[in-house]
Amino acid sequence: MPIDKNLMRLVKIEDVNIETPTVKTIFFKDSLSSVSKPGQFLMVWIPRREELPLSVMISDTKNHAAITIRKNGYGSTSLFNKDIGDRIGIRGPFGNSFSFNKSLKNIIFLGGGTGLVPLVRLLYYIKEYDSKFTFIMGAKTKSELFFTELIYEWAKAKKIDLHIATEDGSLGTKGYPTDILRAFLSVHKDIDMIYTCGPELMMKKVYDIAIINSVRMEASIERYMKCGIGICSSCCINDKLVCVDGTIFNETKIQKLTEFGVSYRNKSGILTKF
Amino acid sequence: MPIDKNLMRLVKIEDVNIETPTVKTIFFKDSLSSVSKPGQFLMVWIPRREELPLSVMISDTKNHAAITIRKNGYGSTSLFNKDIGDRIGIRGPFGNSFSFNKSLKNIIFLGGGTGLVPLVRLLYYIKEYDSKFTFIMGAKTKSELFFTELIYEWAKAKKIDLHIATEDGSLGTKGYPTDILRAFLSVHKDIDMIYTCGPELMMKKVYDIAIINSVRMEASIERYMKCGIGICSSCCINDKLVCVDGTIFNETKIQKLTEFGVSYRNKSGILTKF
Amino acid sequence: MDYDIPINIAGLDLKNPVIVASGILGLSQSIFDRLYKIGAGAIVSKSISLLPREGYRNPTIVSVDNMSYINAVGLANPGAESFSTEISKNKGPLLVSLVGSEKSEFSVIVRKFRDHKILGFELNLSCPHVEKMGMEIGDDLKLVYDIIQSIKKETTKPLFVKVGLGKSDILEVAKVAESAGADGITAINTLRAMKIDIETQCPVLENKIGGLSGSAIKPLGIRCVYELSKSLKIPIIGCGGIMTYSDVVEYMMAGASAIQIGSLIGLKGISSIGKIVMGLRSYLEAGNINDIKEIIGIAHR
Amino acid sequence: MDYDIPINIAGLDLKNPVIVASGILGLSQSIFDRLYKIGAGAIVSKSISLLPREGYRNPTIVSVDNMSYINAVGLANPGAESFSTEISKNKGPLLVSLVGSEKSEFSVIVRKFRDHKILGFELNLSCPHVEKMGMEIGDDLKLVYDIIQSIKKETTKPLFVKVGLGKSDILEVAKVAESAGADGITAINTLRAMKIDIETQCPVLENKIGGLSGSAIKPLGIRCVYELSKSLKIPIIGCGGIMTYSDVVEYMMAGASAIQIGSLIGLKGISSIGKIVMGLRSYLEAGNINDIKEIIGIAHR
Ligand SMILES: Cc1cc2nc3c(=O)[nH]c(=O)nc-3n(C[C@H](O)[C@H](O)[C@H](O)COP(=O)(O)OP(=O)(O)OC[C@H]3O[C@@H](n4cnc5c(N)ncnc54)[C@H](O)[C@@H]3O)c2cc1C
Ligand SMILES: Cc1cc2nc3c(=O)[nH]c(=O)nc-3n(C[C@H](O)[C@H](O)[C@H](O)COP(=O)(O)OP(=O)(O)OC[C@H]3O[C@@H](n4cnc5c(N)ncnc54)[C@H](O)[C@@H]3O)c2cc1C
Ligand SMILES: Cc1cc2nc3c(=O)[nH]c(=O)nc-3n(C[C@H](O)[C@H](O)[C@H](O)COP(=O)(O)O)c2cc1C
Ligand SMILES: Cc1cc2nc3c(=O)[nH]c(=O)nc-3n(C[C@H](O)[C@H](O)[C@H](O)COP(=O)(O)O)c2cc1C
Ligand code: FES
Ligand code: FES
């Protein structure tokens, strides 16, 4: 019988990668997650603590997957504090995924923080393809950057342009990744697609820039999630449920999402301005 | 997904055969029943009336099966009164089946009344085999005999010895089928197996005769059944559950069934003498 | 597509008897509009309390085998004020679900929706996992009576009372509701239940105990509707474990005039609403049933 | 094979905590002897009434999806006199289940087993489908108290009281049972449920309403055991929907000192008893758990 992805599975943490002092990648064995499509997420249970939606990160080991967590509040810190041998529960993968086909010849990835996770998984899937990849990464400061080495590693085999923006200028361009994007698009007129994930206001800028430049784009939107399966409506944005209709929306869909970049539902479901 | 045999299936009666004024064969489509093994039974629901255990009878149509019912009390009469187009519910098939292998070269079937049903299904399965078949049938009187034509029909293609005993001598030998068996065994010393089904006291005699003559035998035992799945114990005989451990028991097993031919459990579960 | 299987229940004309249950996609007007469009005969909102509630921390919902869930959302909702703004432009067939911990709260909540275009209200007497709300109130028959009367005083719109299998006799609660002026009964809510993860040796839900919904509870819901419809005069909305149009038919034969679906949407997605309606239509056509009323309570004959 | 996972419950030493539930293969001494041999830690007999009962006409049991059944056997049983003869030579760990409709009946029944080698008794307060028996008695707290006292007056053997989810508060009933002298609680019995066949438009069971058992009720049973073990001092036997050894572990972590299995035997056959025991043993070995007591109630921590 196939495993029901809705049933929670307990997995043991098999390896851990410290990305920055506050960001950790956690590896585990789970065949369903290992084949999840780029952009899909898991509901991750930290026993006795919390359950959080987290994007699926890549693992090089067969039947394995990973998650990358930034230490923040109660749930994320509990998860961050887990180590090799500890158990967590997962259900999913849930949600749709980034679209990709080989006709996209010139692709930009733009992300920051843990928003990099689904972009990295996507790049991992398509990096052997005969396309041009540009990766724009943003962070507050140099020490908060991660996954750069991974991309440099991949770039050995296949050209990947990596552009970095830090707010304090400690590495790469000083400023925001969207500044780089704007400049890049004024020069490169043959971009087929921009994939983005990160803070919503950043993604809103990416959307605006893409529209002005008539470039297609896809963004992974975050909302507060409880069920992950389209039943509780805590994750809704306009008439869409991010957990099942998303998390990936393209520019045509985003155009109708008047709440995008404007407001979100808080834990009680009240529409709240960003 | 395979059908769960425990879930009740509603079937439409597609054909009916009047065997005698009080016995009817009812045909219906049901793939699970159509492949039931000889000796297995169904729990048959007569809506708003009763549910009865009934042996599976044969049908010549693919994916079809049949049941043969003798009109008697409340439930059986309700079923007997059903006609083409009516619906009944079935679950099963349940129980074990007669054992057979090609090394059995000389076989006797001995039955009476609706006890003929599993024997006929068995014969149907094995009639092409290279064995000698003797069928001994008993009834009170000629008009209560049925399935004889079916056997004559089969006997055209392949020799089947049919012996008939009626208590009033209106057809065949006057007396009991067990009288015929006794006489037959005194002449034929090379019998490999006796299959029997019918009134328990008759089967008890068959057992006794088989033991004396050192012939193997298998009998299909009836007990009051509620669940058909080995949970309620209404059908128990000694430490066996007729619905799952039986209904077929061979002479070795019967030897340990001290209640066989002696007593049965009534509807309250009280052990009662025959 | 046209999802018409017209029914009338408690004076309300619905385009079909398939209603989205409370707590299921029940917070956003945009989602309500989408639900109408894809076939819902009506929608019950998330249960609304006087003040906003954040509900429990995650996990708030856990799957158990066999198409069932246990949830303890903790009645997270925006509160009456904010929700009345949310649905201020509503034009669809919406019922607002009400929950509270004191009698006085209900009339205040109902008044917030006085000028709204909504069908009516559903009183949640049976939330099994929030203390001093829902279930606990439903166990106090005198309080049930008083709350219903206080709501009926504030509104002429129909009031459905949602009952469940808790600590008290569901038949008794429903009879009290009827005598207090309820226009219909919704049965059943989820049942108090629990899942323990044996590897980590702890309950999975943050609240430990939640409410069981889905397939597992269908035989219980059918029985309740059957028994309720024997002893009540007001109509019944059946709810619990409906997964296919044939489950709808089973509920209606047991005595339900309409039904609600919940867990199914988690299992099969939002489009399953329309599929249920279309399945029901085909069933009625195949059986030459002109008016779905013909099958309501037919199993009692 | 050796099915040893020794436990002590209410003063009884059992070879393991896996007990065959009442009504499951509960009528014949030969079957009891077979059940001991294939691994059962103990057996509860069919519920025995003062006089024999034929029970309801068939169908008495119907499968619902998902490894669950609804049954309305109607407490068919041979009656106290005949059953005391049946088990007169018993040497195995047998509990006799008692059911009645009047207080006075119970002491008469118990006296019939005065000279028998049995472990003790289980009082069935929770049969959901026979009027004036089981459930209805269980709803009258005063009567519950009196019945238990009248039984305890007749015997020094342990008495377990079996409770269910009916019209009254399971916690309250159990507390009354404890205060009246019950030595343990069995939870839960089946829940009133129904299946209607939509083709023939009628309930399937002859009695129309029956009791739901099997997988569907496990989350309810776990919850009841968890809540009961929070508020009682006497031990609890968990029952309802146990299909695997891990379900046994879940019940024990919730607070059960032993468990009963029923429906599983219909689904997986009589040998499933031994398989559950062996599965449990492997689980304990793999986890280096020397005494199964260590996991009882561990989910409360
Ligand atoms: C689809 C999706 C994928 C995500 N992927 C990642 C990832 O790969 N790595 C990562 O570190 N984070 C990811 N997040 C964010 C993550 O779920 C948490 O929001 C974040 O870790 C903060 O958790 P906390 O316990 O610190 O929050 P708290 O301190 O409890 O709350 C802080 C804020 O976190 C957010 N948050 C908390 N719980 C949830 C929830 N259940 N659903 C959505 N937002 C919540 C809310 O905005 C809340 O206001 C993802 C979120 C979503 C919706
Ligand atoms: C395995 C098995 C296969 C059978 N196969 C056939 C068959 O192919 N054709 C056929 O006509 N009959 C068959 N029977 C007998 C059949 O089940 C009924 O017993 C019989 O039809 C009488 O039913 P009634 O409604 O007239 O009984 P009633 O008048 O209600 O009772 C008369 C007697 O019938 C028997 N009986 C009634 N209900 C049951 C029951 N649920 N289980 C067992 N016995 C019962 C009892 O001995 C009872 O005393 C079979 C029985 C069993 C156990
Ligand atoms: C996640 C979730 C949240 C729910 N919230 C509410 C609620 O706020 N108010 C209410 O009356 N019922 C609530 N319910 C119960 C449903 O309305 C419904 O009665 C129950 O789920 C049974 O139907 P189902 O088996 O079709 O899911 C909720 C159910 C679920 C699964
Ligand atoms: C066919 C059947 C008959 C039952 N008869 C009784 C009974 O006589 N007395 C009783 O206390 N419980 C009876 N029960 C309930 C079981 O003992 C048990 O409490 C219930 O089935 C839940 O356990 P399960 O889910 O493992 O089956 C019966 C259950 C079934 C399925
Ligand atoms: S998280 Fe519940 S609907 Fe999306
Ligand atoms: S009929 Fe129930 S055990 Fe055989």
Side-chain angles (χ1 to χ4, degrees):
Chain A
M1 232 173 35
I3 307 166
D4 179 350
K5 70 173 183 176
N6 291 310
L7 290 177
M8 188 184 283
R9 311 171 301 271
L10 266 280
V11 297
K12 204 160 72 192
I13 298 176
E14 300 201 347
D15 202 358
V16 154
N17 227 12
I18 313 285
E19 311 289 358
T20 78
T22 57
V23 177
K24 218 175 185 178
T25 299
I26 288 172
F27 297 84
F28 52 86
K29 184 173 171 187
D30 180 63
S31 47
L32 270 185
S33 310
S34 76
V35 296
S36 61
K37 285 171 273 171
Q40 288 196 296
F41 67 94
L42 300 171
M43 293 299 293
V44 178
W45 181 46
I46 309 110
R48 294 163 211 265
R49 296 287 178 271
E50 248 293 2
E51 190 183 40
L52 288 175
L54 295 171
S55 296
V56 187
M57 179 57 188
I58 57 165
S59 159
D60 276 329
T61 316
K62 202 179 167 232
N63 286 327
H64 282 59
I67 46 181
T68 300
I69 182 76
R70 175 195 291 279
K71 179 176 161 170
N72 177 35
Y74 181 74
S76 57
T77 304
S78 313
L79 180 55
F80 184 85
N81 291 336
K82 293 278 171 195
D83 214 332
I84 294 177
D86 288 341
R87 276 162 201 281
I88 53 175
I90 50 174
R91 56 192 176 97
F94 299 119
N96 65 1
S97 60
F98 290 110
S99 73
F100 180 81
N101 63 65
K102 296 193 180 179
S103 72
L104 304 175
K105 291 295 172 204
N106 211 334
I107 297 170
I108 298 175
F109 299 80
L110 188 151
T114 54
L116 294 173
V117 172
L119 300 180
V120 163
R121 190 168 178 99
L122 174 62
L123 179 55
Y124 180 74
Y125 265 64
I126 66 179
K127 65 182 159 52
E128 315 297 338
Y129 291 177
D130 178 29
S131 307
K132 227 182 118 187
F133 301 119
T134 306
F135 209 116
I136 308 174
M137 226 182 241
K140 281 222 172 67
T141 180
K142 185 181 165 183
S143 64
E144 289 188 6
L145 279 164
F146 53 95
F147 293 159
T148 45
E149 279 176 42
L150 192 69
I151 290 174
Y152 285 132
E153 186 61 35
W154 292 348
K156 284 183 194 161
K158 147 96 196 180
K159 192 170 155 44
I160 301 168
D161 253 344
L162 179 59
H163 300 260
I164 291 171
T166 53
E167 292 180 30
D168 64 358
S170 52
L171 197 79
T173 318
K174 182 175 156 98
Y176 297 102
T178 41
D179 301 335
I180 299 186
L181 177 67
R182 201 178 288 112
F184 194 86
L185 289 184
S186 68
V187 180
H188 300 84
K189 296 296 176 193
D190 56 345
I191 305 300
D192 297 310
M193 176 67 87
I194 306 166
Y195 299 111
T196 183
C197 182
E200 191 153 316
L201 296 176
M202 177 200 87
M203 294 196 293
K204 176 76 164 74
K205 274 196 216 158
V206 173
Y207 166 77
D208 291 339
I209 297 168
I211 292 294
I212 290 170
N213 290 277
S214 299
V215 181
R216 288 166 58 194
M217 62 86 70
E218 290 183 356
S220 171
I221 299 181
E222 278 189 22
R223 280 296 178 274
Y224 195 81
M225 289 186 182
K226 288 180 178 169
C227 70
I229 54 171
I231 200 174
C232 74
S233 89
S234 69
C235 69
C236 63
I237 177 169
N238 293 83
D239 69 341
K240 295 289 179 279
L241 301 167
V242 172
C243 67
V244 290
D245 300 319
T247 61
I248 318 290
F249 296 89
N250 61 23
E251 74 286 352
T252 326
K253 288 191 178 137
I254 290 176
Q255 209 197 332
K256 295 182 197 139
L257 298 178
T258 56
E259 295 170 13
F260 179 69
V262 177
S263 53
Y264 64 95
R265 304 243 169 210
N266 71 10
K267 289 193 189 182
S268 332
I270 300 177
L271 206 58
T272 312
K273 297 264 175 231
F274 271 106
Chain B
M1 231 171 38
I3 306 166
D4 178 350
K5 70 174 183 177
N6 291 311
L7 290 177
M8 189 184 284
R9 312 174 297 274
L10 265 281
V11 297
K12 203 160 73 191
I13 298 176
E14 298 201 348
D15 202 359
V16 154
N17 227 8
I18 313 287
E19 310 289 357
T20 78
T22 57
V23 178
K24 219 173 183 177
T25 299
I26 288 172
F27 298 85
F28 52 86
K29 185 173 171 187
D30 180 64
S31 48
L32 270 185
S33 310
S34 76
V35 297
S36 61
K37 285 172 272 173
Q40 287 194 296
F41 67 94
L42 301 171
M43 294 299 291
V44 178
W45 182 45
I46 310 108
R48 294 161 210 267
R49 297 285 178 272
E50 249 292 3
E51 189 183 42
L52 288 174
L54 295 172
S55 297
V56 188
M57 180 56 189
I58 56 165
S59 159
D60 275 328
T61 315
K62 201 176 168 233
N63 286 327
H64 282 60
I67 46 180
T68 301
I69 182 73
R70 176 193 290 280
K71 178 176 162 171
N72 177 36
Y74 181 74
S76 57
T77 304
S78 311
L79 181 54
F80 184 86
N81 290 337
K82 294 276 172 197
D83 214 331
I84 295 178
D86 288 341
R87 275 163 201 281
I88 53 175
I90 50 175
R91 56 191 177 97
F94 298 119
N96 65 0
S97 60
F98 291 109
S99 73
F100 179 80
N101 64 65
K102 295 192 180 180
S103 72
L104 304 175
K105 290 297 171 201
N106 212 333
I107 296 168
I108 297 175
F109 298 80
L110 188 152
T114 54
L116 294 173
V117 172
L119 300 180
V120 163
R121 189 168 178 99
L122 175 60
L123 179 53
Y124 179 75
Y125 265 63
I126 66 178
K127 67 184 161 47
E128 315 298 337
Y129 291 175
D130 179 29
S131 306
K132 226 182 119 187
F133 300 121
T134 306
F135 209 116
I136 307 175
M137 224 183 242
K140 281 224 171 70
T141 181
K142 184 182 164 182
S143 65
E144 290 188 3
L145 279 166
F146 53 95
F147 292 158
T148 46
E149 279 174 43
L150 191 69
I151 290 174
Y152 284 132
E153 186 63 35
W154 292 347
K156 281 182 196 165
K158 149 95 196 181
K159 195 167 151 48
I160 301 168
D161 254 345
L162 179 60
H163 299 260
I164 291 169
T166 52
E167 291 180 29
D168 64 0
S170 50
L171 195 79
T173 317
K174 186 176 155 95
Y176 296 102
T178 42
D179 299 335
I180 299 183
L181 177 69
R182 201 177 288 111
F184 194 87
L185 290 184
S186 69
V187 179
H188 300 84
K189 295 296 175 191
D190 56 346
I191 305 300
D192 296 310
M193 178 64 89
I194 307 167
Y195 298 112
T196 183
C197 182
E200 190 152 318
L201 296 176
M202 176 199 86
M203 295 195 294
K204 176 74 165 75
K205 273 195 215 159
V206 173
Y207 166 77
D208 290 339
I209 296 167
I211 293 294
I212 290 170
N213 289 277
S214 301
V215 181
R216 288 165 58 194
M217 61 85 73
E218 290 183 356
S220 170
I221 298 181
E222 279 189 20
R223 280 296 178 274
Y224 194 82
M225 288 186 182
K226 288 179 179 170
C227 70
I229 53 171
I231 200 174
C232 73
S233 91
S234 69
C235 69
C236 64
I237 177 168
N238 293 83
D239 70 341
K240 294 290 178 278
L241 301 167
V242 171
C243 68
V244 289
D245 299 320
T247 61
I248 317 290
F249 296 89
N250 63 22
E251 73 286 350
T252 326
K253 289 191 176 136
I254 290 176
Q255 209 197 331
K256 293 180 199 140
L257 298 178
T258 55
E259 295 170 13
F260 180 69
V262 177
S263 51
Y264 64 96
R265 303 247 169 206
N266 71 11
K267 291 190 187 183
S268 332
I270 300 176
L271 207 58
T272 312
K273 297 265 175 229
F274 272 106
Chain C
M1 252 180 291
D2 134 26
Y3 297 100
D4 277 11
I5 310 175
I7 65 149
N8 181 291
I9 178 166
L12 301 173
D13 284 310
L14 304 186
K15 77 174 164 191
N16 67 56
V18 178
I19 303 172
V20 179
S22 179
I24 312 301
L25 303 181
L27 287 172
S28 138
Q29 183 65 46
S30 319
I31 301 270
F32 296 156
D33 292 336
R34 177 172 172 195
L35 289 169
Y36 306 144
K37 220 177 295 164
I38 62 172
I43 293 157
V44 187
S45 77
K46 177 76 196 169
S47 293
I48 302 297
S49 52
L50 187 54
L51 299 176
R53 288 177 58 93
E54 290 213 341
Y56 301 129
R57 192 191 292 282
N58 280 343
T60 44
I61 183 154
V62 56
S63 272
V64 289
D65 290 309
N66 311 326
M67 315 205 289
S68 302
Y69 298 108
I70 310 177
N71 88 81
V73 170
L75 292 172
N77 80 86
E81 185 61 45
S82 181
F83 192 66
S84 77
T85 313
E86 175 79 33
I87 63 166
S88 58
K89 300 213 176 71
N90 176 66
K91 292 201 185 70
L94 182 66
L95 291 156
V96 173
S97 171
L98 311 169
V99 75
S101 49
E102 274 178 46
K103 194 189 111 180
S104 59
E105 293 176 2
F106 290 91
S107 36
V108 184
I109 305 178
V110 169
R111 252 175 272 149
K112 300 253 190 236
F113 300 96
R114 189 187 305 202
D115 302 323
H116 284 63
K117 274 201 67 180
I118 58 170
L119 290 184
F121 297 94
E122 185 177 90
L123 172 61
N124 179 0
L125 282 182
S126 43
C127 178
H129 52 76
V130 179
E131 266 178 61
K132 297 257 163 61
M133 280 208 164
M135 196 82 109
E136 303 213 355
I137 284 204
D139 291 335
D140 181 341
L141 293 178
K142 172 85 179 75
L143 190 54
V144 167
Y145 190 90
D146 290 346
I147 290 174
I148 292 170
Q149 290 225 318
S150 74
I151 296 171
K152 288 302 289 182
K153 232 172 260 164
E154 294 296 335
T155 179
T156 54
K157 296 201 167 95
L159 171 67
F160 294 86
V161 173
K162 185 166 178 185
V163 294
L165 288 170
K167 294 178 180 173
S168 43
D169 184 355
I170 187 170
L171 286 180
E172 220 179 321
V173 177
K175 275 187 209 155
V176 167
E178 182 176 56
S179 71
D183 301 283
I185 297 289
T186 303
I188 57 179
N189 210 315
T190 57
L191 284 88
R192 278 174 80 78
M194 188 175 203
K195 160 120 196 97
I196 293 168
D197 174 62
I198 65 167
E199 292 198 52
T200 52
Q201 312 187 329
C202 64
V204 175
L205 294 176
E206 201 265 336
N207 186 52
K208 298 187 172 77
I209 290 173
L212 181 65
S213 66
S215 266
I217 71 170
K218 196 192 77 174
L220 307 173
I222 297 284
R223 184 271 292 181
C224 290
V225 168
Y226 186 87
E227 292 198 309
L228 287 167
S229 68
K230 258 209 188 338
S231 51
L232 298 182
K233 279 177 218 77
I234 52 176
I236 296 158
I237 302 177
C239 179
I242 291 177
M243 296 290 151
T244 62
Y245 77 86
S246 51
D247 295 336
V248 176
V249 174
E250 190 175 351
Y251 264 101
M252 295 191 85
M253 288 183 171
S257 299
I259 58 87
Q260 294 180 0
I261 58 174
S263 303
L264 172 66
I265 293 175
L267 287 158
K268 297 287 160 85
I270 199 167
S271 63
S272 54
I273 301 168
K275 283 185 196 141
I276 288 261
V277 178
M278 295 320 276
L280 195 56
R281 273 185 60 149
S282 310
Y283 166 84
L284 295 170
E285 276 160 28
N288 271 319
I289 301 164
N290 292 319
D291 188 342
I292 195 166
K293 260 205 323 231
E294 291 171 28
I295 65 167
I296 296 173
I298 206 167
H300 289 270
R301 284 181 206 163
Chain D
M1 253 179 293
D2 136 24
Y3 297 99
D4 278 10
I5 309 175
I7 65 150
N8 180 293
I9 176 167
L12 302 172
D13 285 310
L14 304 187
K15 77 175 163 189
N16 68 55
V18 178
I19 303 173
V20 179
S22 179
I24 311 301
L25 303 180
L27 288 170
S28 139
Q29 185 64 47
S30 319
I31 301 272
F32 296 156
D33 292 337
R34 179 173 170 193
L35 290 169
Y36 307 144
K37 221 176 297 166
I38 62 173
I43 293 157
V44 187
S45 78
K46 177 76 197 170
S47 292
I48 302 297
S49 52
L50 187 55
L51 299 177
R53 288 177 57 93
E54 291 212 342
Y56 301 128
R57 191 192 292 282
N58 279 346
T60 44
I61 183 153
V62 57
S63 273
V64 287
D65 290 310
N66 314 325
M67 317 205 287
S68 302
Y69 297 109
I70 310 176
N71 90 80
V73 169
L75 293 171
N77 81 85
E81 185 62 46
S82 180
F83 191 66
S84 77
T85 313
E86 176 79 35
I87 63 165
S88 58
K89 301 213 175 70
N90 176 67
K91 291 201 186 69
L94 183 65
L95 292 155
V96 174
S97 170
L98 309 169
V99 74
S101 49
E102 275 177 46
K103 193 189 110 178
S104 59
E105 292 176 2
F106 291 91
S107 38
V108 184
I109 306 177
V110 170
R111 252 175 271 150
K112 301 256 189 232
F113 300 95
R114 187 186 309 203
D115 304 324
H116 285 62
K117 277 202 62 181
I118 57 171
L119 290 186
F121 298 93
E122 184 176 271
L123 173 61
N124 178 359
L125 282 182
S126 44
C127 176
H129 53 75
V130 178
E131 268 176 60
K132 300 254 164 62
M133 282 205 161
M135 197 82 108
E136 304 214 354
I137 284 202
D139 292 334
D140 180 340
L141 294 177
K142 171 86 179 74
L143 190 54
V144 167
Y145 190 91
D146 291 347
I147 289 173
I148 293 170
Q149 290 226 316
S150 73
I151 296 170
K152 288 301 290 180
K153 230 170 263 164
E154 295 295 335
T155 180
T156 54
K157 297 202 166 93
L159 172 66
F160 294 86
V161 174
K162 185 167 179 184
V163 294
L165 289 170
K167 296 177 182 175
S168 41
D169 184 356
I170 188 170
L171 286 179
E172 220 180 320
V173 177
K175 275 186 209 156
V176 167
E178 182 176 55
S179 71
D183 301 282
I185 297 289
T186 303
I188 57 178
N189 210 316
T190 57
L191 284 87
R192 279 174 79 77
M194 189 175 200
K195 159 122 194 94
I196 293 169
D197 174 64
I198 65 166
E199 293 199 51
T200 52
Q201 313 187 327
C202 63
V204 175
L205 293 176
E206 202 264 337
N207 187 53
K208 298 188 173 76
I209 290 173
L212 182 66
S213 67
S215 267
I217 71 170
K218 196 192 76 174
L220 307 173
I222 297 283
R223 184 271 294 183
C224 289
V225 167
Y226 186 88
E227 292 198 309
L228 287 167
S229 69
K230 259 209 186 336
S231 51
L232 297 182
K233 280 178 219 77
I234 53 176
I236 296 158
I237 302 177
C239 180
I242 292 176
M243 296 288 150
T244 62
Y245 77 86
S246 52
D247 295 336
V248 176
V249 174
E250 190 175 351
Y251 264 101
M252 296 189 85
M253 288 182 170
S257 299
I259 57 87
Q260 295 181 358
I261 57 173
S263 303
L264 172 66
I265 293 175
L267 286 158
K268 296 286 161 85
I270 198 166
S271 63
S272 54
I273 300 168
K275 284 183 196 143
I276 286 261
V277 177
M278 296 319 277
L280 194 57
R281 274 186 60 150
S282 311
Y283 165 85
L284 295 170
E285 277 161 28
N288 273 319
I289 302 164
N290 292 319
D291 188 342
I292 193 164
K293 258 205 319 232
E294 291 170 30
I295 65 167
I296 296 173
I298 206 168
H300 289 269
R301 283 181 208 162

